[in-house]
């Protein structure tokens, strides 16, 4: 365990040094070739976890996929989910036993992890698939949370694909139901003061609203509300949990 | 009644200088509040049914006096073993000059001004059970050797009646101590309240309790999130922020009737964090009514006559109006990055940053005399690791009051200027604690559920 951590640390250090070297403008002597054994193994993304809860459901019932990935430039999940943020969760509704594979990629290569959701009963009599999804279901299934850095309220560059996907899904929703209003909730982690976080959550919600309006969505259908740190998803004192709580979440508005 | 008639109330005949003479010459006695008079109060004794509770009375009196900024309390270890208990035990005047060692006579009041006690004032008395009540006879004397008679030396003598149990004895102790401190300009906490937020009913609601933690009761029943309480300085109104109608808005309740008071919320994604002017007639609060981050607005106490006072482009929360001057305030602002405490006038001008800029500084609370703020600060610690600090506003010198006791936030000054109430999270749940303003004497007031955001409310005027 310690050995592995040590070698990982060594690889990370090496990667850092190499990266730092790249930033220098014109370092006259080119850096010596790195020892072939260790150097190119520059940190592939690490997948902290990729899990389904529950991992056994009846046909068409929801299961929650949850994942956390470090050092990835892109994260994808197959079975039609597509690009996702490095930390996230997503409800899926499999009608047959399905294995979901998460692929995290960066310049060092890619890592994968898989999780299987076992469907325990026969699918119900086949209903016409397309029109059954209500706007609320689309909102819950397809519009993903956006996440933020500590004390920040700007949409992160790595979350731009999610923002784009959310905009597309929201356009579908408003196309199906012109009277539908979506509430963008701004949330914070537990470390800042509750008072300041009320203001910060408000900034996060309105930053996402502004970005969606830029992408052509109607401002009058997007409501914002700040919950500060009053409604955390998790309460562990760990960065993984803090990162999950620093989010903009979409819910049905009045 | 008979006893009431027997007790005479004498005027305080001393001038300020006389008590300094005895107080400052003694070594080994702590002068916590330089220049302030020394006060000794003997342990009261009791017989019969009252005997079981008199210890609670004595502990309460000693704690209240020791925590006060207006006197120096002489530790009981220095007192003679057989102290007087009632006026008939006392003799007035000065001992005749004697050769050799001076013999201290505990019965002679002026001898209490001599070492080792060296007090300027002496409290004596006893407790008894009468008609099923806990009854305390409490007297208070000046020990000045220049006073010739007992009548002139007596500052007051009173009877305190309370229920015959532990909390009755504590209550009587607070009242006797308050009467002593009132002689020196000390403000009593009796009649003051603490409003706070508790989730013990299942959702965050506003609660209120007496200043000593007794009689905790629920004020709101919205079943939503109701938090961020504040109180009007006249002690009649509590304001807070609730999601009861969807988005966070300001609500106001009468503390006298429990009924809702009118408050106009402008159309905004949030209206929150009210602070009142000293006359309770105007308020400053945060609102997102204009596009951009929450900014400060000044309005009448019902929300009318609204005026925007900041345009900083950063989050502005927790304005707290100076209770002494009424024309300046402290504000938590993100205008230089992480939240820090700034001071400005009620126009939003004359801005200066009070905190150093390191870490996150938040939750400011003014001392009643406007000389200090208490606040929560992460200083050099990791984010979220808040402790309570005190700042002398003129010099910006800070003193740390809590350490290694979990996460400590939301300090609020007691009206006596000598105590602070705050929230301390030492496990999964937060509780309300009080301490002396020098960081000593910490004790918890709540145990049930998670309790946070305490605000000390002045006694209703």
């Amino acid at each position: 365990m310690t050995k592995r951590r040590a070698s990982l640390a060594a690889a990370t250090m090496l990667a850092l040094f190499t990266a730092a070297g790249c930033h220098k403008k014109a370092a006259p002597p080119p850096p010596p070739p790195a020892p072939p054994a260790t150097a190119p193994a520059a940190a592939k993304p690490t997948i902290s976890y990729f899990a389904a809860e529950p991992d056994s459901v009846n046909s068409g019932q929801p299961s929650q996929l949850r994942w956390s990935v470090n050092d990835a430039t892109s994260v994808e999940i197959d079975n039609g989910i597509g690009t996702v943020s490095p930390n996230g969760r997503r409800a899926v509704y499999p009608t047959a036993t399905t294995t979901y594979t998460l692929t995290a990629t960066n310049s060092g290569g890619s890592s994968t992890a898989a999780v299987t959701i076992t469907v325990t009963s026969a699918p119900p009599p086949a209903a016409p698939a397309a029109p059954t999804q209500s706007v609320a279901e689309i909102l819950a299934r397809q519009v993903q949370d956006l996440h933020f850095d500590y004390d920040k309220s700007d949409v992160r560059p790595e979350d731009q694909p999610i923002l784009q996907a959310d905009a597309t899904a929201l356009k579908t929703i408003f196309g199906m139901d012109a009277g539908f209003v979506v509430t963008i909730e701004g949330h914070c982690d537990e470390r800042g003061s509750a008072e300041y976080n009320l203001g910060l959550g408000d900034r996060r919600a309105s930053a996402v609203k502004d970005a969606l309006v830029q992408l052509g969505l109607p401002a009058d259908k997007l409501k914002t509300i700040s919950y500060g740190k009053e409604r955390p998803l998790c309460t562990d004192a760990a960065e993984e949990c803090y990162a999950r709580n620093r989010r903009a979440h979409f819910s049905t508005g009045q | 009644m008979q006893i009431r008639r027997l007790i005479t109330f004498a005027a305080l005949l001393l001038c300020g200088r006389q008590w300094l003479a005895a107080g400052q010459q003694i070594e080994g006695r702590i002068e916590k509040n330089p220049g302030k008079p020394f006060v000794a109060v003997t342990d009261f004794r009791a017989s019969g049914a009252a005997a079981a509770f008199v210890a609670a009375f004595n502990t309460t009196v000693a704690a209240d006096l020791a925590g006060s900024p207006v006197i120096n309390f002489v530790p009981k270890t220095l007192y003679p073993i057989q102290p007087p208990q009632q006026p008939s035990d006392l003799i007035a005047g000065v001992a005749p000059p004697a050769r050799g060692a001076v013999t201290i006579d505990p019965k002679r009041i002026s001898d209490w001004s001599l070492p080792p006690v060296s007090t300027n004032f002496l409290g004596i008395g006893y407790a008894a059970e009468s008609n099923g009540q806990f009854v305390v006879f409490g007297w208070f004397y000046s020990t000045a050797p220049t006073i010739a008679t007992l009548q002139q030396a007596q500052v007051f003598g009173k009877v305190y009646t309370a229920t015959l149990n532990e909390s009755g004895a504590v209550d009587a102790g607070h009242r006797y101590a308050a009467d002593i401190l009132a002689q020196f300009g000390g403000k009593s906490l009796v009649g003051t309240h603490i409003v706070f937020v508790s989730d013990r009913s299942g959702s965050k609601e506003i609660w209120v309790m007496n200043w000593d933690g007794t009689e905790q009761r629920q004020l709101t029943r919205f079943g939503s999130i109701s938090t961020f309480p504040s109180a009007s300085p006249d002690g009649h109104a509590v304001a807070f922020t609730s999601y009861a109608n969807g988005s966070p808005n300001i609500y106001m309740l009468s503390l006298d009737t429990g009924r809702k008071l009118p408050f106009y919320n402008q159309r905004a994604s949030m209206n929150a964090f009210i602070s009142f002017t000293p006359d309770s007639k105007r308020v400053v609060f945060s609102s997102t009514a204009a596009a951009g981050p929450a900014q400060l607005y000044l309005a009448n106490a019902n929300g009318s006559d609204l005026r925007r006072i900041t345009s900083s482009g950063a989050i502005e929360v927790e304005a707290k109006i100076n209770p002494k001057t009424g024309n300046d305030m402290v504000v938590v602002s993100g205008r230089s990055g992480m939240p820090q405490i700034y001071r400005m006038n009620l126009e939003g001008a004359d801005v200066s940053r009070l905190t150093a800029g390191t870490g996150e500084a938040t939750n400011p609370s003014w001392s009643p005399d406007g000389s200090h703020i208490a606040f929560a600060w992460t200083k050099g610690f990791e984010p979220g690791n808040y402790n309570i600090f005190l700042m002398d506003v003129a010099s910006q010198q800070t003193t740390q009051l809590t350490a290694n006791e979990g996460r400590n936030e939301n300090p609020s000054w007691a009206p006596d200027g000598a105590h602070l109430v705050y929230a301390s999270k030492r496990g999964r749940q937060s509780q309300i604690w009080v301490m002396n303003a020098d960081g000593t004497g910490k004790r918890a007031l709540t145990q049930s559920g998670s309790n946070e955001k305490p605000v000390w409310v002045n006694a209703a005027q």
Side-chain angles (χ1 to χ4, degrees), chain B residues 307-357:
Chain B
R307 196 148 54 85
R308 181 173 173 177
I309 54 178
T310 57
S311 307
S312 70
I315 296 167
E316 307 277 324
V317 290
E318 290 196 275
K320 302 282 176 68
I321 299 170
N322 185 330
K324 183 76 176 175
T325 67
N327 59 27
D328 65 325
M329 59 185 172
V330 286
V331 175
V332 173
S333 170
R335 53 179 83 188
S336 62
M338 292 284 184
Q340 297 291 322
I341 296 170
Y342 291 75
R343 187 181 188 176
M344 60 186 79
N345 66 24
L346 291 203
E347 308 293 322
D350 277 345
V351 182
S352 62
R353 195 176 74 196
L354 292 182
T355 46

Side-chain angles (χ1 to χ4, degrees), chain B residues 236-405:
Chain B
H236 288 297
V238 56
F240 56 95
T241 304
S242 178
Y243 289 74
N245 281 328
S247 48
N249 267 328
I250 290 165
Y251 292 74
M252 226 180 264
L253 291 181
S254 161
L255 273 173
D256 311 320
T257 65
R259 296 231 173 83
K260 210 172 144 181
L261 298 171
F263 185 83
Y264 165 74
N265 279 284
Q266 47 184 346
R267 200 179 164 80
S269 57
M270 62 169 268
N271 294 300
F273 320 121
I274 273 201
S275 174
F276 291 82
T277 52
D279 63 5
S280 300
K281 289 181 175 156
R282 304 272 284 163
V283 293
V284 171
F285 62 96
S286 293
S287 174
T288 52
Q295 295 296 303
L296 300 179
Y297 290 76
L298 180 68
N300 289 334
N302 65 2
S304 66
D305 192 17
L306 190 77
R307 196 148 54 85
R308 181 173 173 177
I309 54 178
T310 57
S311 307
S312 70
I315 296 167
E316 307 277 324
V317 290
E318 290 196 275
K320 302 282 176 68
I321 299 170
N322 185 330
K324 183 76 176 175
T325 67
N327 59 27
D328 65 325
M329 59 185 172
V330 286
V331 175
V332 173
S333 170
R335 53 179 83 188
S336 62
M338 292 284 184
Q340 297 291 322
I341 296 170
Y342 291 75
R343 187 181 188 176
M344 60 186 79
N345 66 24
L346 291 203
E347 308 293 322
D350 277 345
V351 182
S352 62
R353 195 176 74 196
L354 292 182
T355 46
T358 47
E360 292 168 60
T362 185
N363 301 154
S365 169
W366 286 100
S367 63
D369 66 1
S371 67
H372 288 73
I373 54 166
F375 64 108
W377 189 19
T378 58
K379 204 182 180 188
F381 319 122
E382 60 193 275
N385 188 359
Y386 286 101
N387 274 300
I388 308 294
F389 287 77
L390 218 55
M391 179 187 284
D392 177 342
V393 174
S395 69
Q396 298 177 15
Q397 292 292 310
T398 59
T399 314
Q400 185 166 355
L401 300 184
T402 62
N404 306 317
E405 295 161 332

